[in-house]
Amino acid sequence: MKVWSVANQKGGVGKTTTVVALAGLLAELGHRVLVVDLDPHGSLTSYFRHDPDELDHSVFDLFAGDPLNAAGLEALLLPTTHEQIRLMPSSTALATLERRAVGKEGMGLQVAKALRQLDGRYDHVLIDSPPVLGVLMVNALAACQELLVPVQTEHLALKGLERMVRTIAMINRARRRKLRFTIVPTFYDRRTQASVSCLRQLHHQYPDEIAGSVVPVDTKFRNASVQGVVPSSLDAGSRGIKAYAHVLRNLLERPTS
């Protein structure tokens, strides 16, 4: 089971869109996909038409009591608009987790431990993380084999990327195996000098980490969100989906490290 996390310490860069787009493409290849919403805002949960304010059970249960077995974890999962994709939803209770985690051992590994219980039941897990360095992002980074960092192609987003790279370095000091990460440029508009200049800078500063494709501004993502469906089911030929398909091919072709 491959676990990929999507993270950036800046909001509004396309994290949830990246999770949904890649999950949809994987599902349409026949993979069994689990998406995990670790953001207290619950954007991924809301995308698939579940209300984080109304759920009795959510990913918060991983932190609230005794460890759950595989059956208990499956009971947390919700359907999505694609039959091959299941959702481990967020809830607003996650916003209290930082306070609850103070002084408790092992809180950064709860998601990793839970996903090990589900190994073999899913082919891919994609984790949507909050834009804040804390126990939830640490869980996302500790649980994954590959990190995807969406970066909006505008210069303020580069500062968020710098913070994220420092966080990855910190996490790597605590991991047995170095965390590999891929930068995915998003919201690219070749008509603007800001986008062109930012993309050039990303290639210059991170030549080995940047994805081989750039995700353009594409209204089809918004349209898919309105309908609560994965973007590729709405328009598989859109520019944005073609970009994500290229990113996915490169990820799937990489040797397991």
Side-chain angles (χ1 to χ4, degrees):
M1 184 173 75
K2 294 182 178 178
V3 182
W4 299 341
S5 288
V6 180
N8 193 324
Q9 286 173 244
K10 183 181 185 305
V13 297
K15 293 189 299 296
T16 301
T17 297
T18 298
V19 169
V20 171
L22 293 177
L25 290 166
L26 285 166
E28 287 165 12
L29 290 173
H31 296 280
R32 298 164 299 170
V33 183
L34 172 64
V35 293
V36 180
D37 191 353
L38 286 184
D39 191 340
H41 290 106
S43 296
L44 181 61
T45 301
S46 297
Y47 188 104
F48 287 119
R49 300 301 182 263
H50 299 286
D51 187 346
D53 294 323
E54 299 295 332
L55 296 175
D56 293 327
H57 298 283
S58 72
V59 71
F60 182 75
D61 292 17
L62 304 186
F63 303 91
D66 295 330
L68 299 173
N69 59 21
L73 291 168
E74 287 283 359
L76 296 182
L77 307 186
L78 298 175
T80 71
T81 49
H82 197 295
E83 63 180 7
Q84 288 286 101
I85 303 173
R86 299 281 285 175
L87 167 70
M88 187 179 291
S90 174
S91 71
T92 51
L94 283 177
T96 70
L97 190 59
E98 294 297 330
R99 184 179 70 253
R100 292 169 179 258
V102 173
K104 291 187 178 180
E105 294 288 334
M107 291 293 278
L109 298 174
Q110 295 302 100
V111 172
K113 291 176 182 177
L115 293 181
R116 283 197 289 270
Q117 295 284 334
L118 297 175
D119 194 16
R121 298 182 179 226
Y122 298 91
D123 302 304
H124 290 266
V125 179
L126 282 81
I127 302 174
D128 193 8
S129 64
V132 178
L133 178 57
V135 67
L136 289 167
M137 183 180 286
V138 168
N139 268 271
L141 300 184
C144 69
Q145 298 109 30
E146 181 94 34
L147 174 65
L148 305 178
V149 186
V151 178
Q152 186 176 359
T153 48
E154 57 95 20
H155 287 284
L156 285 177
L158 294 179
K159 293 296 183 183
L161 176 58
E162 290 172 7
R163 290 193 297 273
M164 195 68 226
V165 170
R166 289 196 295 270
T167 296
I168 294 167
M170 177 190 72
I171 292 294
N172 280 338
R173 289 194 288 270
R175 287 174 61 108
R176 296 178 182 175
R177 184 177 299 172
K178 185 177 179 180
L179 178 58
R180 184 167 55 188
F181 71 96
T182 298
I183 296 166
V184 182
T186 58
F187 294 98
Y188 182 68
D189 187 346
R190 64 182 180 181
R191 298 168 300 178
T192 69
Q193 182 58 35
S195 270
V196 172
S197 173
C198 182
L199 183 61
R200 187 183 302 120
Q201 190 170 346
L202 285 171
H203 277 286
H204 176 72
Q205 290 184 237
Y206 306 98
D208 298 326
E209 290 81 22
I210 193 165
S213 188
V214 179
V215 180
V217 174
D218 190 338
T219 58
K220 297 297 172 58
F221 292 134
R222 186 184 306 116
N223 295 344
S225 177
V226 169
Q227 298 183 38
V229 298
V230 296
S232 51
S233 70
L234 190 66
D235 186 353
S238 75
R239 295 178 304 140
I241 282 301
K242 287 181 177 178
Y244 275 118
H246 188 267
V247 171
L248 179 61
R249 281 195 300 272
N250 288 341
L251 291 170
L252 294 177
E253 290 169 1
R254 283 184 175 178
T256 303
S257 59

